Amino acid sequence: MTTSRFFKPTLLALATACLTLSAQAAPLKVDAAKSTVVATFKQLNVPVDAKFKKINAAIDFDAAKPEQGKASVDIDVSSFDLGEAEYNKEVQKKEWFNAAQFPKASFVSSSIKAAGAGKYDVAGKLTIKGKTTDVSFPLTVKKDGAAQVFDGVLPIKRLTYNIGEGEWKDTGMVADEVSIKFHIVAQ
């Protein structure tokens, strides 16, 4: 009888621990084929969209507990595609992304706060070309079947990150304002 009194509470505690662990959200698997990151800027006052073809994102998000969510995104800057090989080669140079020295741009969240149904305010650190700054932006999250879709726009100033050095600092040719639009699909 002494043995059964010991085992019952132990088994109950073990069962509770297992249920608690299985109820915690697992990190989501990002579908890279359906996810996009696009930078929009103006060149000679004409909007230009350029896509980053290689991104790697890690998202741990539960809409019931957004404040416990985490996200990180790494972007391979050499995958920046302006639609023409000559331009793509140019933006990899030291004056622009300096891809040889800084091959990745990254974002790491520091907070996610609910801001209404399916809407959130996200804050974190953005690192481009070795320069890290605090950023924040609105995010929408919606369900699409079994997947969750994360959409947002992060406005930045390219000169903050030394993108466009030397003669390219002149914002008359390429505007300082850049919108980073992202559409991340995960489940």
Side-chain angles (χ1 to χ4, degrees), residues 28-29 31 33-35 61 63 118 140-151 183-187:
L28 300 172
K29 182 176 168 129
D31 185 337
K34 294 180 181 177
S35 300
F61 180 80
T140 60
V141 180
K142 66 181 180 183
K143 292 290 269 175
D144 184 9
Q148 292 187 73
V149 180
F150 301 84
D151 286 304
H183 176 81
I184 307 292
V185 179
Q187 56 181 35

Side-chain angles (χ1 to χ4, degrees), residues 92-181:
Q92 301 308 311
K93 292 180 179 177
K94 185 179 182 209
E95 297 80 14
W96 292 100
F97 282 120
N98 195 358
Q101 187 174 353
F102 305 104
K104 295 199 182 302
S106 65
F107 170 78
V108 177
S109 68
S110 57
S111 74
I112 302 173
K113 297 177 183 174
K119 297 180 185 216
Y120 303 89
D121 291 323
V122 178
K125 302 236 180 246
L126 178 65
T127 303
I128 303 174
K129 205 173 173 182
K131 171 90 178 197
T132 302
T133 62
D134 292 317
V135 296
S136 61
F137 56 91
L139 172 75
T140 60
V141 180
K142 66 181 180 183
K143 292 290 269 175
D144 184 9
Q148 292 187 73
V149 180
F150 301 84
D151 286 304
V153 178
L154 170 58
I156 67 166
K157 300 221 181 247
R158 70 176 175 87
L159 294 177
T160 299
Y161 302 94
N162 298 318
I163 299 171
E165 296 182 58
E167 69 180 287
W168 296 108
K169 280 188 175 183
D170 178 9
T171 57
M173 180 72 117
V174 179
D176 194 18
E177 295 77 19
V178 178
S179 294
I180 302 171
K181 300 174 190 174

Side-chain angles (χ1 to χ4, degrees), residues 2 8 15 27 67 75 77 116 140 147-149 164 173 186:
T2 339
K8 284 182 183 176
E67 65 284 348
I75 297 172
V77 297
T140 60
Q148 292 187 73
V149 180
M173 180 72 117

Side-chain angles (χ1 to χ4, degrees), residues 64-95:
K65 301 174 190 172
E67 65 284 348
Q68 294 178 8
K70 296 177 185 173
S72 65
V73 180
D74 287 328
I75 297 172
D76 180 341
V77 297
S78 68
S79 74
F80 193 64
D81 185 11
L82 285 158
E84 189 173 318
E86 184 180 328
Y87 294 149
N88 293 347
K89 186 177 176 183
E90 181 66 28
V91 297
Q92 301 308 311
K93 292 180 179 177
K94 185 179 182 209
E95 297 80 14

